[in-house]
């Protein structure tokens, strides 16, 4: 049943309720507000039974409020869950009589339970009793809104439990809904359907996210099959990263997805909640790391390392944390060769967590110095609105130079799809995109385009080398390579 059908049934439900109002001791006017977007609602509930159950809820509210005297406004917020009884919050202004409130809440609590398939479904029933309320009063008791309540509960979790909660949320709620829509794609969209099967079969639990996405030609086929504004394919990858606890990589993708998503697309409907939870986690990581930095600044390197070791058990995939762990450890080493060896080992871990981590410790050649500078340059991007497009192009070029070909390709495709040629100085962005795919081992996608791409790929390499060799940082080193 589509969302139009669901809204129509709700309208019919309210019309039927109207026939009861005439016999009420008090006149009661009801309206329903759906908090859960239709794209999510039509996947997470069985709509016909759910509409019937909503009718029972509204009938119960109407039957109880018709006995309430006076002019009042009442809000009943209902959140239906997958694995527990519905949460119900009732507030009124002026407040209901003590007996009336108890009778209403007891009646709602005693209704037959309804459950969702995946994520929560929430709505509010708003009742105007007689003339309603024309006073500036607060609802009593205060109404608990689902998203606020959930965030408050999330904030109270221990850090390790927050990470676990996000992973479970992705695996059991968000990813199944994404899979539902990808698997419903028309047959000709083989790439999208392939990604849906990967999610449906939960292959991301046993395989590297990169192997299922950027190293998989079907991922890029799916990327190219989607219409503008619908970033469900990179969102799929971000969800896999979140399920795996790879928050740094997920954050890069989520940052980009937000800029290019239509407000009513599925990724956009989840982005605010994901961002809110990620902000809480990121703030906790920052606070915890800063405690270690304070120890380091006091010369307490051993204590700092011990602090970081404890944190790494909770946040093993934080590039910043792994870097600070290295930094405090190296501070205890007097031998420069040991420091270099420690960095060689640590940077593999750091750049696995975040290939674009904007720090490198040493550079002995012009190329190393240039790449060190390019990493640091990431921190200067996206500071001014007027530089947004040029910053995205620069971001893609830096990712290519740092050999993060998957992220670079994602950016180049978006640039090609959304920006005018003058925004990237009429460069051959398609060649840059396909060059990255070629580096990832995808030799299929290039067949969809006409052109001498081996020659174009050579031009891409020559262009990046020219930019590097003209850099003052590169020239400052006596040894170029």
């Amino acid at each position: 049943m589509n969302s139009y059908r669901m809204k129509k049934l709700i309208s019919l439900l309210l019309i039927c309720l109207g026939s009861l109002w005439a016999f009420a001791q008090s006149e009661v006017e009801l309206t329903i507000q759906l908090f859960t977007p239709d794209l999510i609602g039509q996947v997470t509930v069985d709509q016909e039974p759910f509409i019937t159950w909503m009718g029972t809820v509204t009938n119960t509210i109407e039957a109880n409020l018709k006995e309430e005297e006076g002019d009042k406004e009442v809000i009943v917020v209902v959140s239906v869950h997958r694995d527990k009884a519905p949460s119900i919050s009732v507030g009124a202004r002026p407040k209901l009589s003590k007996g009336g409130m108890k009778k209403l809440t007891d009646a709602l609590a005693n209704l037959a339970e309804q459950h969702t398939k995946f994520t929560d479904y929430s709505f509010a029933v708003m009742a105007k009793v007689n003339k309603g309320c024309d006073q500036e009063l607060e609802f009593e008791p205060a109404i608990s809104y689902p998203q606020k309540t959930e965030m408050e509960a999330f904030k109270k979790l221990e850090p390790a439990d927050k990470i676990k909660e996000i992973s479970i949320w992705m695996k059991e709620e968000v990813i199944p809904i994404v899979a539902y829509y990808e698997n419903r794609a028309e047959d000709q969209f083989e790439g999208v359907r392939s990604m849906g099967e990967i999610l449906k079969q939960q292959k991301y639990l046993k395989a590297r996210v990169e192997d299922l996405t950027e190293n998989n030609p079907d991922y890029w086929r799916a990327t190219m099959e989607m219409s503008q504004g619908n970033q469900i394919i990179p969102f799929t990858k971000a969800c896999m990263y979140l399920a795996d606890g790879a928050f740094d990589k997920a954050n890069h993708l989520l940052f980009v997805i937000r800029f290019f998503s239509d407000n009513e697309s599925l990724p956009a409907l989840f982005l605010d909640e994901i961002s809110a939870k990620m902000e809480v986690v990121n703030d906790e990581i920052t606070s915890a790391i800063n405690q270690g930095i304070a120890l380091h600044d006091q010369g307490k390197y051993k204590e700092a390392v011990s602090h970081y070791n404890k944190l790494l058990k909770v946040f093993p995939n934080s590039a910043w944390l792994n870097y600070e762990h290295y930094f405090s450890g190296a501070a205890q080493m007097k031998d420069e060769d040991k420091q270099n060896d420690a960095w060689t080992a640590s940077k593999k871990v750091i750049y696995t967590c975040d290939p674009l981590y904007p720090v490198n410790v040493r550079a002995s050649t012009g190329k190393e110095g240039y790449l060190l500078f390019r990493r640091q340059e990431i921190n200067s991007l996206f500071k001014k609105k007027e530089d947004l497009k040029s910053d995205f192009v620069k971001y893609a070029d830096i990712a290519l130079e740092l050999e993060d070909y998957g992220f670079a390709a994602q950016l180049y495709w978006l640039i090609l799809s959304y920006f005018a040629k003058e925004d990237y100085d009429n460069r051959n962005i398609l060649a840059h995109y396909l060059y990255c795919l070629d580096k990832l081992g995808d030799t299929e996608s290039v067949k969809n385009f006409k052109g001498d791409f081996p020659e174009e790929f050579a031009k891409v390499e020559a262009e990046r080398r020219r930019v590097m060799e003209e850099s003052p940082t590169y020239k400052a080193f006596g040894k170029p390579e």
Side-chain angles (χ1 to χ4, degrees):
M1 182 193 304
N2 59 32
S3 59
Y4 171 77
R5 173 69 173 156
M6 187 170 187
K7 290 176 180 176
K8 185 175 180 181
L9 285 172
I10 291 173
S11 298
L12 290 171
L13 171 66
L14 294 177
I15 291 171
C16 292
L17 286 172
S19 63
L20 296 175
W21 297 339
F23 302 100
Q25 295 172 1
S26 288
E27 183 179 348
V28 179
E29 180 181 344
L30 300 179
T31 57
I32 296 177
Q33 180 179 351
L34 305 179
F35 292 147
T36 302
D38 291 335
L39 274 177
I40 298 173
Q42 60 186 298
V43 180
T44 200
V45 297
D46 289 322
Q47 294 187 37
E48 290 283 4
F50 192 78
I51 289 293
T52 301
W53 182 80
M54 286 179 69
T56 304
V57 171
T58 53
N59 283 336
T60 300
I61 294 170
E62 191 275 335
N64 280 269
L65 291 183
K66 72 179 182 179
E67 299 178 3
E68 192 71 21
E69 296 180 353
D71 300 327
K72 297 176 181 179
E73 289 181 12
V74 181
I75 297 181
V76 179
V77 176
V78 181
S79 189
V80 184
H81 311 288
R82 177 169 49 89
D83 52 4
K84 60 182 180 180
S87 303
I88 300 175
S89 176
V90 181
R93 58 180 187 183
K95 64 181 180 180
L96 295 177
S97 62
K98 186 176 181 180
M101 174 62 81
K102 185 178 186 307
K103 186 177 178 183
L104 174 58
T105 54
D106 285 350
L108 291 171
N110 289 328
L111 293 178
E113 288 188 9
Q114 183 73 200
H115 296 280
T116 60
K117 299 176 186 176
F118 305 115
T119 195
D120 292 351
Y121 189 96
S122 302
F123 63 94
V125 180
M126 292 162 284
K128 178 182 176 183
V129 181
N130 297 318
K131 295 181 180 179
C133 178
D134 58 1
Q135 305 175 59
E136 292 296 326
L137 299 175
E138 298 293 328
F139 284 91
E140 296 186 57
I143 300 164
S144 298
Y145 289 97
Q147 194 169 33
K148 182 179 179 181
T149 301
E150 184 178 347
M151 276 304 301
E152 289 174 349
F154 181 79
K155 290 176 181 179
K156 292 177 182 178
L157 295 174
E158 293 297 318
D161 291 331
K162 287 186 177 74
I163 293 173
K164 183 179 179 181
E165 178 71 19
I166 289 174
S167 179
I168 292 173
W169 179 38
M170 289 296 121
K171 294 173 185 176
E172 297 185 358
E173 300 186 30
V174 179
I175 286 177
I177 293 175
V178 174
Y180 170 85
Y181 282 106
E182 289 178 344
N183 280 306
R184 287 191 61 185
E186 295 179 11
D187 290 344
Q188 67 264 34
F189 301 125
E190 294 179 11
V192 177
R193 292 178 67 90
S194 174
M195 297 311 300
E197 278 302 306
I198 286 172
L199 296 184
K200 185 178 179 180
Q201 296 175 25
Q202 296 186 311
K203 292 183 179 180
Y204 57 89
L205 298 179
K206 298 180 181 179
R208 291 175 67 246
V209 173
E210 289 81 4
D211 290 339
L212 298 174
T213 56
E214 61 193 56
N215 297 329
N216 176 6
D218 280 346
Y219 176 81
W220 298 112
R221 174 169 179 160
T223 297
M224 293 182 283
E225 286 172 344
M226 293 308 303
S227 59
Q228 280 194 349
N230 189 343
Q231 302 304 321
I232 195 170
I233 301 305
F235 183 68
T236 296
K237 187 179 181 182
C239 289
M240 291 187 202
Y241 278 140
L242 291 172
D244 195 37
F247 290 171
D248 288 350
K249 294 176 181 177
N251 280 333
H252 284 303
L253 278 170
L254 293 170
F255 173 78
V256 172
I257 289 168
R258 182 174 290 278
F259 282 99
F260 296 96
S261 290
D262 287 345
N263 291 334
E264 299 302 318
S265 65
L266 186 66
L269 298 179
F270 283 113
L271 280 177
D272 284 344
E273 187 174 359
I274 291 174
S275 297
K277 290 181 177 179
M278 291 303 299
E279 184 178 357
V280 172
V281 174
N282 291 335
D283 286 347
E284 289 194 352
I285 294 175
T286 298
S287 177
I289 291 176
N290 282 337
Q291 293 175 31
I293 291 174
L295 291 170
H296 180 104
D297 291 345
Q298 295 169 32
K300 299 178 180 179
Y301 306 128
K302 186 176 181 180
E303 291 89 338
V305 170
S306 178
H307 175 72
Y308 293 138
N309 281 333
K310 293 177 183 177
L311 291 180
L312 283 169
K313 294 178 181 178
V314 181
F315 307 113
N317 297 316
S318 168
W320 183 21
L321 176 55
N322 278 283
Y323 170 77
E324 295 297 343
H325 179 266
Y326 150 78
F327 192 52
S328 291
Q332 301 176 68
M333 302 174 186
K334 296 182 179 180
D335 186 277
E336 186 175 345
D337 288 338
K338 288 185 178 180
Q339 290 180 344
N340 290 338
D341 289 343
W343 173 244
T344 299
S346 294
K347 74 177 182 179
K348 292 179 181 178
V349 177
I350 293 167
Y351 296 153
T352 296
C353 294
D354 181 3
L356 300 177
Y357 186 67
V359 173
N360 198 343
V361 168
R362 67 173 188 266
S364 57
T365 68
K367 181 177 181 179
E368 290 176 351
Y370 173 74
L371 293 179
L372 186 154
F373 167 75
R374 291 294 266 173
R375 282 190 182 277
Q376 295 174 337
E377 199 172 6
I378 293 172
N379 286 328
S380 68
L381 301 178
F382 306 108
K383 303 297 184 183
K384 298 178 181 178
K385 187 175 180 179
E386 59 269 25
D387 295 336
L388 184 64
K389 291 182 178 180
S390 61
D391 282 349
F392 268 115
V393 176
K394 189 179 292 185
Y395 200 17
D397 289 341
I398 293 172
L400 184 152
E401 291 167 347
L402 296 178
E403 299 182 3
D404 187 0
Y405 297 117
F407 190 65
Q410 203 85 64
L411 289 172
Y412 283 131
W413 180 255
L414 291 169
I415 291 165
L416 185 66
S417 302
Y418 288 87
F419 295 177
K421 290 183 178 180
E422 53 266 27
D423 293 326
Y424 45 84
D425 297 327
N426 293 298
R427 291 163 51 191
N428 191 342
I429 293 297
L430 175 61
H432 284 68
Y433 167 70
L434 293 173
Y435 173 83
C436 292
L437 267 54
D438 184 73
K439 287 293 185 181
L440 293 166
D442 178 0
T443 59
E444 294 299 314
S445 295
V446 70
K447 297 176 183 178
N448 295 308
F449 303 93
K450 294 181 179 180
D452 185 353
F453 285 103
E455 180 180 343
E456 292 300 323
F457 294 166
K459 290 180 181 179
V460 170
E461 291 181 342
E463 175 191 272
R464 300 324 307 165
R465 171 161 287 278
R466 177 186 60 79
V467 171
M468 178 178 70
E469 291 177 349
E470 291 177 357
S471 165
T473 304
Y474 181 86
K475 294 177 179 179
F477 287 79
K479 183 181 179 183
E481 300 286 335

